[in-house]
Amino acid sequence: MKHFTLDELTRSATARRLGIDNTPTRQAAANLKQLVANILDPLREAYGAPIYVNSGYRCPALNRAVGGSASSQHLTGEAADITAGSKAGNRRLYELLRNLPVDQAINEHNFAWLHVSYGPRHRRSFFAL
């Protein structure tokens, strides 16, 4: 984990505000490390500038509190919502993700942020919400 920490991948203002313990399970922590090693660190290297994590791992209570899907890959540590800080930067990240082994890359709300996942399905799915 060269450019990202477990803390930033589990940090949540909502969890703090609601008193939710968002400590990942051992398996979720291992999945987060794989997400970083295979997607986030290589993406940061290719982009050449910082990438910020808006949301990473979510325990079930936190996922419910934020209205996340019951099948969200955030629950297993396989996903993160990220941003370069601008729509233009997020567009560039989205294109760079095409060169990486993503499971899903989702352009959220016209590049307001990106959802990216890495996991055993390796769907290579790119789409917009």
Side-chain angles (χ1 to χ4, degrees):
M1 295 180 65
K2 184 175 178 183
H3 299 287
F4 298 88
T5 66
L6 192 58
D7 178 64
E8 73 185 300
L9 290 162
T10 60
R11 186 180 315 138
S12 167
T14 301
R16 272 194 312 276
R17 183 172 41 82
L18 298 177
I20 297 171
D21 179 1
N22 195 42
T23 303
T25 63
R26 204 172 310 153
Q27 183 59 56
N31 291 344
L32 286 167
K33 289 176 184 174
Q34 288 299 307
L35 174 66
V36 170
N38 290 285
I39 304 297
L40 297 180
D41 272 347
L43 181 62
R44 167 63 175 82
E45 293 287 328
Y47 186 60
I51 297 170
Y52 306 97
V53 176
N54 298 333
S55 180
Y57 172 75
R58 296 184 205 141
C59 69
L62 178 57
N63 195 58
R64 282 190 299 276
V66 299
S69 166
S71 62
S72 173
Q73 287 179 285
H74 288 277
L75 288 161
T76 60
E78 296 176 349
D81 295 338
I82 61 172
T83 184
S86 69
K87 287 187 177 197
N90 292 343
R91 278 187 192 93
R92 177 77 178 122
L93 291 178
Y94 191 76
E95 291 308 314
L96 290 169
L97 284 166
R98 293 188 184 281
N99 300 316
L100 296 172
V102 299
D103 180 45
Q104 289 186 317
I106 305 171
N107 159 9
E108 300 266 4
H109 307 285
N110 192 29
F111 295 102
W113 72 89
L114 303 176
H115 169 95
V116 62
S117 67
Y118 177 81
R121 291 178 276 185
H122 296 291
R123 293 173 280 188
R124 302 276 309 141
S125 179
F126 287 77
F127 60 97
L129 291 181

